[in-house]
Amino acid sequence: MTVESSAAAAAAVAGELATWSGARRRDVLHAAATALEAAADAIIDTAADETGLTRQRLEGEMARTTGQLRLLGDFVADGRDRPVVRSAGAAPGGGDIVAVRVPIGPVAVFAASNFPLAFGVLGGDSASALAAGCPVVAKAHPAQPETARLVAEAVGPTLGAAFAVVHGGADVSLALVRAPQIRAVGFTGSAAGGRALMDAAAARPDPIPVYAEMGALNPVFVFPSALDDTRWPATLAAAVTGSAGQLCTKPGLVVVPDTEAGAAFADRLAAEVAATPAFERMLTPAMAAAHAAWHDRAPAAGGRPDAPEGGAVPFAVRVAGADLDGELLEEHFGPTVVIAQSDVDAYGGLAGRLEGSLTATVLAGERDDDAVRALLPALVDRAGRVIYNGVPTGVAVVDAMQHGGPWPAASGAFTSVGTAAVERFLRTVALQGLPERLTP
């Protein structure tokens, strides 16, 4: 289908979807999850072929994809997405004011390359839009066309005109955002891609919101109490290199104390990263080329430069905290991390220089409480999720999850994961003085 025909079909069915009860939306989302499970083997095999990701990783991602469809279905069936707020007798001259939430209308969703299922054409953005009662036109990622096609085929009989998939390049992306029937955009990807869609949406005669999640540096601050914990270097290295470092929550910066023990911790972390076997393939050749180019530019880069063509060799960059600037404070997709040594007293100032991030992590013990307490305001100011003694990779699809953050991690104050993600695709209407018999 073309952008024009898909957007027109979505607009034609939007009114009907808006009237569906939460129970009906739940039943449809549950049925879509069941349809995906029935087609899982073929979808996973194809996704592995198109991405180079392991079958084990993709099986877990399929479970997350179907799980979030069911979770969001249960959420709306309980009526939690559309609470009714009534201010009795508050209208000027008397009468009630009743606030209700309604679907925003057809939504354009852009599939991400690094999560071909959970953030693919029927990933979290599409699931939350459908849960809200909005039809979806999803743009397949150009690197994974067959995965998108199989997903669309599997759920087509269940979702019908409420879900369509289009294929193409940047011209198709811009045409979809500019389609007059589209009322909002969900995007997961690069900052450059997100900004291009935001600019196109803002230039429309009727600007529409773009909910763009664009990745982040995800800094980790290591405090003295954590330096003797032998698990952390290996655990952090696994988070840096997992899925070839192609996760939006990958730790891109680890800051350790400027002490002898801090240097030893940094040595162990760098060695663990460098000892990780080379990855035969990244998601796209462009990502592999960008990773290799960063190795060539990065100061004091460790690791081995002899990466397989299209693949990636893990490496760490060691610098002093005072030298953190420019590209050292930018996200670099791939199995790479910057390790910096800094006085613990300077952690707050360093955190204050960082751009907005999806996550910020603290590794510490009880005796570090005063220093951690002093750092927390800066981390809360810069990140959507603050983690204590854990790693940021792995995002729980639950009510409390916040997957977003200040610019440039995301385009606004929202989450693209968890039940609150549905809120992006609803708007509030106040009904003043309307008789109760007419109130939805």
Side-chain angles (χ1 to χ4, degrees), residues 6-21 24-25 82 101-107 129-130 132-136 161-162 181 183 427 440:
S6 297
V13 78
E16 178 188 350
L17 262 63
T19 67
W20 283 9
S21 68
R24 184 172 181 184
R25 284 176 278 144
R82 301 189 188 180
R101 309 196 75 192
V102 299
I104 198 170
V107 173
L130 291 165
C134 300
V136 169
Q181 300 91 342
R183 309 314 308 158
R427 64 184 183 88

Side-chain angles (χ1 to χ4, degrees), residues 103-205:
I104 198 170
V107 173
V109 169
F110 290 83
S113 64
N114 60 339
F115 279 88
L117 305 178
F119 280 94
V121 291
L122 194 57
D125 284 340
S126 293
S128 52
L130 291 165
C134 300
V136 169
V137 181
K139 163 69 166 53
H141 195 280
Q144 296 147 20
E146 287 304 304
T147 301
R149 182 182 63 79
L150 289 177
V151 169
E153 285 183 356
V155 301
T158 298
L159 297 179
F163 179 72
V165 174
V166 295
H167 297 258
D171 56 335
V172 172
S173 298
L174 294 175
L176 183 55
V177 172
R178 292 167 179 156
Q181 300 91 342
I182 297 299
R183 309 314 308 158
V185 175
F187 171 84
T188 300
S190 69
R195 188 56 185 260
L197 299 185
M198 292 171 64
D199 289 346
R204 288 172 46 131

Side-chain angles (χ1 to χ4, degrees), residues 254-326:
V254 177
V255 184
V256 302
D258 190 13
T259 62
E260 184 175 339
F265 185 100
D267 289 341
R268 292 195 298 274
L269 173 55
E272 291 278 0
V273 171
T276 303
F279 293 91
E280 293 297 319
R281 181 178 169 190
M282 289 188 71
L283 290 167
T284 67
M287 291 179 186
H291 177 75
W294 170 235
H295 181 279
D296 293 342
R297 295 194 309 275
R304 306 175 304 281
D306 54 339
E309 185 173 356
V313 170
F315 69 91
V317 179
R318 297 284 301 277
V319 297
D323 295 332
L324 282 174
D325 203 0

